[in-house]
């Protein structure tokens, strides 16, 4: 005669244990998810990275060095190395040479704040690179020394961030200086073609000049005309804000528009001047803002 074993019953303690385990797994998953969402950093110190910091700090003209080396959830692998250096212009070539000659084996995310003789500050940032001459060698995509010198002469006392965007556009931004009104940014717009040449980037690249009240995208050869337009709009028509819709700005109602603030009585004259400029923004819809 065949007997069938009775189903195995879990004890109350067993059920409680399983429940606790599931709660713990769920809590652990939520914690891991939170780390991923918040990009929580878990320090991974390195003697070699400390040595690179020491090398940099030893250079004449270096003011401060901040650094961090970390991993993130969920892999907790492939540490990221980040270093931000504030330095005098005279120290810039030595810093670049030291970074490229360093024996540090991992790619480094660099951020530089370069103080110039005219009291300008030029900041640049770069993602890690993984090719020769060294993984720690920064590649900003432009001739940084020449660009810093050009900005030193052009915008004394100003703070400018330089970047190459994914579309190849060369950008000069000053979003925090109280002098970043339209008139204060015109010298950068006027020098856009020269800045492109100085930086050594693609000669067909657009140059974006942006501040708190201006976003101007200057195509090759358009710098004199763009600067002249801005001077007319500011001096004759009270322009206080212009965001270039032809440069791929934020769409409004699904369409990129040039946004303008000016004296209300000059709205028609401002639009006429923009349409007659022959610049790319002449073809974009214009939105006059009152707020």
């Amino acid at each position: 005669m065949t007997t069938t074993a009775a189903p195995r019953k879990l004890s109350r303690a067993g059920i409680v244990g399983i429940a606790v385990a599931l709660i713990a797994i769920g809590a652990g998953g939520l914690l891991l998810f939170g780390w991923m969402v918040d990009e929580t950093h878990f320090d991974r110190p390195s003697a070699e990275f400390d040595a690179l910091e020491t090398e940099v700090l030893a250079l004449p003209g270096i003011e401060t060095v901040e650094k961090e080396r970390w991993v993130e959830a969920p892999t907790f692998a492939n540490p990221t190395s980040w270093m931000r250096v504030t330095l005098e212009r005279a120290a810039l070539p030595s810093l670049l040479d030291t970074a490229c000659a360093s024996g540090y084996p991992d790619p480094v995310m660099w951020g530089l704040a370069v103080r110039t003789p005219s009291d300008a500050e030029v900041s640049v940032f770069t993602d890690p690179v993984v090719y020769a001459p060294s993984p720690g060698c920064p590649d900003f995509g432009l001739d940084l020394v020449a660009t810093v010198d050009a900005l030193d002469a052009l915008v004394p006392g100003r703070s400018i961030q330089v970047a190459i965007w994914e579309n190849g556009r060369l950008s000069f931004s000053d979003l925090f200086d109280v002098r970043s009104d339209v008139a204060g940014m015109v010298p950068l717009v006027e020098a856009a073609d020269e800045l492109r040449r100085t930086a050594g980037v693609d000669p067909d690249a657009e140059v974006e000049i942006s501040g708190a009240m201006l976003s101007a995208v200057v195509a090759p050869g358009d710098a004199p005309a763009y600067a002249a337009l801005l001077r007319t709009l500011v001096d004759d028509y009270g322009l206080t804000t212009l965001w270039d819709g032809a440069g791929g700005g934020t769409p409004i109602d699904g369409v990129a528009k040039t946004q303008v603030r000016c004296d209300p009585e000059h709205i028609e004259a401002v639009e006429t001047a923009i349409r007659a400029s022959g610049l790319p923004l002449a073809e974009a819809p214009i939105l006059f803002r009152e707020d």
Side-chain angles (χ1 to χ4, degrees):
M1 176 174 135
T2 303
T3 59
T4 303
R8 183 178 179 184
K9 296 182 179 179
L10 292 173
S11 67
R12 184 186 298 258
I15 293 174
V16 171
I18 292 174
V20 170
L22 290 174
I23 292 172
I25 291 171
L30 287 174
L31 179 61
L32 181 62
F33 179 74
W35 286 341
M36 293 170 63
V37 170
D38 294 338
E39 297 183 345
T40 302
H41 292 184
F42 298 88
D43 288 343
R44 291 295 184 269
S46 159
E48 292 168 307
F49 200 37
D50 292 343
L52 176 58
E53 178 188 29
T54 300
E55 281 188 80
V56 171
L57 279 170
L59 297 173
I62 300 297
E63 296 182 10
T64 62
V65 176
E66 302 170 71
K67 70 173 175 56
E68 185 180 6
R69 187 174 184 270
W70 74 89
V71 294
E72 295 178 11
T75 61
F76 301 99
N78 300 321
T80 298
S81 303
W82 167 84
M83 185 171 288
R84 187 179 191 276
V85 183
T86 302
L87 67 156
E88 297 174 1
R89 155 61 184 88
L92 182 55
S94 297
L95 171 65
L96 298 176
D97 289 344
T98 297
C100 291
S102 167
Y104 183 63
D106 296 335
V108 179
M109 296 172 59
W110 287 95
L112 306 184
V114 185
R115 303 191 193 280
T116 76
S118 71
D119 200 32
E121 180 176 290
V122 181
S123 59
V124 287
F125 303 89
T126 184
D127 290 332
V129 296
V130 293
Y131 49 82
S134 165
C137 191
D139 181 6
F140 298 102
L142 50 82
D143 186 333
L144 181 58
V145 174
T147 300
V148 168
D149 288 344
L151 292 171
D152 173 62
L154 189 63
V155 286
R158 302 289 292 273
S159 297
I160 304 293
Q161 179 176 321
V162 184
I164 305 284
W165 299 134
E166 290 182 354
N167 59 4
R169 182 180 293 170
L170 174 62
S171 170
F172 298 89
S173 302
D174 184 356
L175 301 178
F176 304 107
D177 196 308
V178 295
R179 294 169 295 175
S180 295
D181 57 8
V182 175
M185 301 297 284
V186 168
L188 279 171
V189 173
E190 191 166 38
D193 290 333
E194 183 59 33
L195 287 169
R196 184 189 297 104
R197 287 189 291 269
T198 298
V201 299
D202 185 340
D204 294 327
E206 295 175 323
V207 176
E208 179 177 334
I209 308 296
S210 59
M213 300 299 176
L214 174 70
S215 175
V217 179
V218 187
D222 283 350
Y226 212 132
L229 172 66
L230 291 176
R231 287 195 177 97
T232 297
L233 297 181
V234 171
D235 295 342
D236 297 347
Y237 306 128
L239 179 82
T240 59
T241 302
L242 186 143
W243 295 90
D244 189 334
T250 302
I252 298 174
D253 299 327
V255 178
K257 299 179 181 180
T258 295
Q259 300 180 55
V260 174
R261 289 188 182 93
C262 65
D263 292 338
E265 63 269 27
H266 294 315
I267 285 177
E268 290 186 8
V270 167
E271 180 163 8
T272 298
I274 292 174
R275 297 297 182 212
S277 68
L279 298 166
L281 82 163
E283 305 300 322
I286 300 175
L287 174 66
F288 289 92
R289 306 189 68 99
E290 297 180 359
D291 54 328

